[in-house]
Amino acid sequence: MGIFSRRQTATLEPTPSFGPRTPSSGAGAALDPALRALTGEWTIDRPHSRIGFSVRHAMVTTVRGAFADYTSTLHFDGDRPAASSAEIVIQVGSVDTGVEQRDAHLIGADFFDARRHPEMAFRSTSTVHEGGETFRMAGDLTIRGIARPVELQLDYLGSVVDPFGYERAGFDGTTTIDRTDWGLVYNQRLEAGGTMVSEKVRLQFDISAIRYSPVA
């Protein structure tokens, strides 16, 4: 999402549980005018965005990948952030880790089982403005037909009208999941101990959203 001049932001980590939580001092703070002006419908600009993941491999390296094919519907409400919502539906067969053999394994029955479950999806259930440019969005993540709750922490990066007249807004989001919660249990043990593929997977959403303008 290189069209934005990014500000430095803190590393984003998931909330460890879904139980009661004490709001941060900025929770519920009023949005500044720039954020309020984003109210409306948006969609993700795929050529300038990345929906990806990273996972530890053989205990010592990190494998990164992304999904190229997905659809999205985003709604941002600057007056009532709690009314904001997002839906992203991903074609798992579009996974790309840079290695064809590994991609073929990922879409097979050991992992995504794309023949029986061609899509994974995130559908939001609530949104909280935690203060400043930080939001927390809860939702259901569906993989292999199994829906589990997750929370994304989102940082607003800025907005701009590009040279082609498109109004764009940028967000960074991330969370970490345990893939076995979605039935992704395949693994191999290492002789020295540990496993070939970590059960923890970090999901990363680098979003360049374009304001949706229906054709008249």
Side-chain angles (χ1 to χ4, degrees):
M1 203 167 57
I3 63 170
F4 292 103
S5 176
R6 291 174 175 242
R7 292 181 288 274
Q8 294 297 316
T9 57
T11 301
L12 306 178
E13 296 294 344
T15 298
S17 70
F18 289 89
R21 182 163 46 91
T22 302
S24 65
S25 59
L31 295 178
D32 66 38
L35 282 167
R36 293 172 66 92
L38 300 181
T39 296
E41 309 302 318
W42 299 75
T43 189
I44 296 174
D45 180 26
R46 290 189 300 186
H48 298 99
S49 303
R50 182 179 184 273
I51 296 180
F53 61 90
S54 58
V55 61
R56 298 287 284 180
H57 179 263
M59 308 295 291
V60 295
T61 60
T62 299
V63 170
R64 294 176 173 83
F67 298 94
D69 187 8
Y70 52 87
T71 58
S72 63
T73 302
L74 313 175
H75 172 74
F76 186 78
D77 192 319
D79 293 314
R80 295 186 303 133
S84 300
S85 61
E87 177 179 278
I88 304 173
V89 179
I90 300 167
Q91 302 301 313
V92 298
S94 69
V95 66
D96 182 7
T97 65
V99 178
E100 290 185 7
Q101 184 177 2
R102 181 166 57 212
D103 296 343
H105 191 194
L106 285 173
I107 66 176
D110 285 338
F111 288 98
F112 290 121
D113 197 2
R115 184 181 64 83
R116 294 197 300 166
H117 305 287
E119 296 179 343
M120 60 183 292
F122 173 79
R123 295 179 174 90
S124 67
T125 55
S126 66
T127 305
V128 176
H129 177 219
E130 296 204 316
E133 298 170 343
T134 299
F135 298 80
R136 187 174 296 275
M137 178 174 282
D140 292 326
L141 177 65
T142 302
I143 305 174
R144 290 175 62 113
I146 300 171
R148 303 276 190 199
V150 298
E151 281 193 347
L152 303 178
Q153 191 168 335
L154 302 173
D155 269 2
Y156 168 64
L157 302 179
S159 61
V160 67
V161 176
D162 69 20
F164 302 99
Y166 292 106
E167 186 177 359
R168 297 178 178 269
F171 292 87
D172 268 354
T174 190
T175 190
T176 299
I177 65 171
D178 184 331
R179 62 185 175 88
T180 64
D181 290 340
W182 285 266
L184 303 173
V185 298
Y186 174 85
N187 224 325
Q188 291 178 306
R189 304 296 301 181
L190 300 174
E191 290 185 6
T195 57
M196 181 65 73
V197 183
S198 171
E199 294 177 349
K200 300 295 184 183
V201 180
R202 185 174 179 84
L203 305 180
Q204 299 148 326
F205 298 80
D206 299 323
I207 303 301
S208 173
I210 299 176
R211 188 181 291 277
Y212 176 69
S213 298
V215 177

